Amino acid sequence: MDIPFVREAISQLFSKPSTVLYPVVPVEAAPNYRGRIAYHPEKCINCGMCERVCAGNAITTVVEKTEEGDKVTRTFNLGSCTFCATCMDFCHGAIEFTTDYHMIATKEEDLLVIGTHIRKPPAKKAPPKPAAPAAEAKPAEAKPAEDKAAAPAEAAPAVQPRDDGKPVQDPSKCVYCTICAKKCPAGALEVDRANKTWKLDEDLCVGCGTCAENCPKKCIII
Amino acid sequence: MFKKLIEESTGKSPWLFHINAGSCNGCDIELVAVLTPRFDAERLGFKLTGSPRHADIVVVTGPVTNQSLPRVLRAISQVPEPRCIVTMGSCPQSGNVFRGSYSVAGPLSKYVHVDVDVAGCACKPEAVIDGLALATQILAEKRRAMK
């Protein structure tokens, strides 16, 4: 006579229990588990993309003016985070998700990851002019833009990259589609389609490279 | 002697009451995983109850919607003191992606004192076990303070 499941029942009697003995035996999370955020402020270029793409509004930034420059404090609230890692995807290496899943708090402050760095003003312009950057920057920017436009016409079509890590546009390839200006996290680019002008506000530019990545004609060099 | 026995046994076996305050079910599934054989929180004494009147620890999931708020507060008020309120996941702590919605009344800490926050979206069962263990300690302290 065949009794169903007898073999299974007997084998289960002698097998190990399936329960994870968690508090006694520590458990490591899977290799790519997205746990506690680690923020490396020294790598941050302050483009602000993390804050803009965050669905849960978990990232906040406070900027204080100090003598050395702008003191930027970025706070990640793990109690508001979905751990979707979109901020890490947009970041240039400053945000990292660790496999630490022990995020238990009795106070709200325990769930905050805070990092501070100092953003120095551009070295070229000695006195910072926060009052009238729009009026000042435009005539100042117009000249290098013209220079850039003139130089490749004479020499090779390739534009030389700048040594300060900021973008340069190749006017021979540019179609003035304005995608770079729309994608710029700092709002440093101003592109006029009708007049075919491409202007960069050097004070606002953080050199993140988003414009170069998104350029459909690949005419921005960084 | 009888009283002492009750005190000791209640400290070692805190009963849970789970409130879903508009959760997406992610955290609810993790809580079920904690209580079922794989993680088996019952071996540590945690037991799910059907009535808030039997509970010591209240586990809240979800961003506390307008519809659920009166029910959540009513259920929590029925839990006898000392009680410990544990929020599970990001939603009851801040509202998470539902923050600012017309139908969300949270976070929960606006209405009741929250003892333990377990972060994660959804949190790992091991983290929930840690959070419940911390809640048990807080519960023991509260019991001592009530004497």
Side-chain angles (χ1 to χ4, degrees):
Chain A
M1 200 178 84
D2 189 28
I3 307 167
F5 313 123
V6 162
R7 186 179 294 193
E8 182 68 15
I10 291 168
S11 73
Q12 288 295 319
L13 276 177
F14 297 102
S15 64
K16 269 168 66 179
S18 65
T19 305
V20 179
L21 300 169
Y22 166 62
V24 184
V25 184
V27 173
E28 286 270 314
N32 287 326
Y33 183 79
R34 298 193 295 265
R36 186 182 288 276
I37 293 174
Y39 176 54
H40 309 293
E42 70 279 358
K43 288 187 196 164
C44 181
I45 58 168
N46 203 34
C47 64
M49 277 309 274
C50 53
E51 203 178 330
R52 294 166 86 204
V53 297
C54 183
N57 294 336
I59 308 171
T60 46
T61 310
V62 179
V63 182
E64 286 172 70
K65 297 258 181 209
T66 59
E67 287 176 10
E68 296 162 56
D70 292 350
K71 188 183 169 197
V72 181
T73 308
R74 193 153 276 138
T75 308
F76 298 80
N77 182 6
L78 298 179
S80 188
C81 181
T82 33
F83 301 90
C84 62
T86 313
C87 55
M88 187 178 74
D89 293 345
F90 279 90
C91 188
H92 293 247
I95 302 172
E96 192 192 347
F97 279 76
T98 62
T99 52
D100 175 22
Y101 56 83
H102 297 275
M103 293 175 284
I104 292 124
T106 47
K107 301 188 293 288
E108 244 179 59
E109 295 84 68
D110 298 350
L111 288 176
L112 301 181
V113 176
I114 301 170
T116 307
H117 67 275
I118 288 175
R119 180 178 57 177
K120 286 181 179 145
K124 281 182 180 174
K125 290 176 185 176
K129 295 167 191 165
E136 290 268 342
K138 274 179 193 169
E141 284 310 307
K143 278 177 199 166
E146 280 167 17
D147 292 349
K148 272 174 229 156
E154 292 165 11
V159 179
Q160 291 300 312
R162 291 161 58 143
D163 48 2
D164 58 354
K166 295 197 171 157
V168 193
Q169 167 236 25
D170 184 348
S172 61
K173 286 191 206 162
C174 185
V175 292
Y176 302 95
C177 64
T178 72
I179 285 178
C180 54
K182 280 175 192 153
K183 293 275 180 181
C184 179
L189 284 170
E190 198 182 307
V191 181
D192 193 332
R193 201 166 195 171
N195 299 325
K196 294 206 170 179
T197 56
W198 187 91
K199 278 181 198 166
L200 172 74
D201 190 334
E202 287 183 28
D203 287 350
L204 291 175
C205 177
V206 292
C208 64
T210 311
C211 51
E213 272 168 36
N214 288 290
C215 181
K217 293 285 175 188
K218 299 288 164 224
C219 74
I220 297 176
I221 300 161
I222 195 151
Chain B
M1 191 202 97
F2 207 64
K3 212 174 174 184
K4 203 180 170 191
L5 192 73
I6 289 174
E7 274 168 19
E8 273 198 16
S9 49
T10 46
K12 286 191 176 165
S13 178
W15 286 15
L16 307 177
F17 182 68
H18 172 214
I19 304 173
N20 179 334
S23 165
C24 70
N25 268 330
C27 291
D28 305 330
I29 287 169
E30 297 299 327
L31 188 66
V32 170
V34 167
L35 295 163
T36 45
R38 167 101 170 142
F39 294 96
D40 205 7
E42 287 191 16
R43 79 202 138 101
L44 308 168
F46 299 105
K47 191 175 175 302
L48 198 67
T49 71
S51 164
R53 288 166 203 272
H54 300 162
D56 301 298
I57 297 174
V58 189
V59 181
V60 183
T61 56
V64 191
T65 55
N66 286 341
Q67 290 277 336
S68 70
L69 177 67
R71 279 91 173 172
V72 168
L73 296 181
R74 192 172 155 201
I76 288 177
S77 66
Q78 286 174 349
V79 178
E81 290 281 355
R83 62 176 171 231
C84 190
I85 296 170
V86 179
T87 62
M88 213 180 135
S90 296
C91 290
Q93 292 161 36
S94 63
N96 202 347
V97 287
F98 309 108
R99 182 196 286 183
S101 166
Y102 64 92
S103 59
V104 167
L108 186 68
S109 51
K110 271 199 320 205
Y111 307 100
V112 286
H113 174 72
V114 175
D115 296 285
V116 181
D117 291 323
V118 183
C121 186
C123 23
K124 221 168 149 56
E126 287 93 341
V128 181
I129 292 176
D130 285 350
L132 292 177
L134 184 62
T136 316
Q137 287 173 16
I138 291 171
L139 207 58
E141 278 169 27
K142 282 188 177 178
R143 268 209 189 97
R144 251 174 267 137
M146 273 182 83
K147 270 181 194 169

